[in-house]
Amino acid sequence: MIGIDLIRTDRMQRFIDRFGEQGLHRFLSASEISLVKNPKTAAGFWAAKEACAKALGCGIGSECGFHDILLSKTPKGAPTISLSPRVLEHFHIAGASVSITHDGEYAISVVALERS
């Protein structure tokens, strides 16, 4: 299953201007927030979580919330994605991959999920 999402980075800038770090807590964990360097990074994380929910076929909601999708980085800075045990079991997910890129005013992410 594959999901993709695109977000304008200025949209994330407006979100941060309005809600500050408290707004980031709505969709990111504390460890994810520690990785956010600027609004572009936050936008990439938003896109990755939205892309994952699209790959699951449910969107963000009761079946899979923002905090069920966890992003981190490898020592070389590549993004990684993991899912909560509840989501892994419910959707029978055996593996997940993520790619995040930025181009100009956009952050784009693709997530591929493998069912067990």
Side-chain angles (χ1 to χ4, degrees):
M1 303 171 299
I2 297 173
I4 187 169
D5 195 65
L6 168 82
I7 180 174
R8 287 183 57 95
T9 55
D10 65 343
R11 178 177 166 213
M12 184 56 62
Q13 180 66 62
R14 288 191 309 273
F15 179 84
I16 293 170
D17 290 346
R18 182 171 179 192
F19 298 108
E21 187 172 321
Q22 190 61 31
L24 294 177
H25 283 282
R26 292 181 185 178
F27 71 99
L28 297 173
S29 69
S31 63
E32 292 168 323
I33 290 171
S34 73
L35 299 173
V36 172
K37 299 175 185 167
N38 52 50
K40 279 188 167 188
T41 307
F45 282 12
W46 175 278
K49 290 187 177 212
E50 287 284 346
C52 184
K54 289 175 183 178
L56 291 169
C58 65
I60 297 293
S62 61
E63 290 182 283
C64 178
F66 282 119
H67 293 282
D68 287 312
I69 304 164
L70 305 169
L71 299 164
S72 59
K73 292 192 175 189
T74 68
K76 292 185 177 184
T80 63
I81 191 166
S82 60
L83 301 170
S84 69
R86 177 180 74 90
V87 170
L88 289 172
E89 183 179 321
H90 180 75
F91 290 98
H92 309 287
I93 303 300
S97 299
V98 62
S99 180
I100 302 171
T101 192
H102 302 85
D103 187 12
E105 294 301 314
Y106 295 93
I108 304 158
S109 183
V110 175
V111 171
L113 301 176
E114 179 184 346
R115 286 192 187 242
S116 55

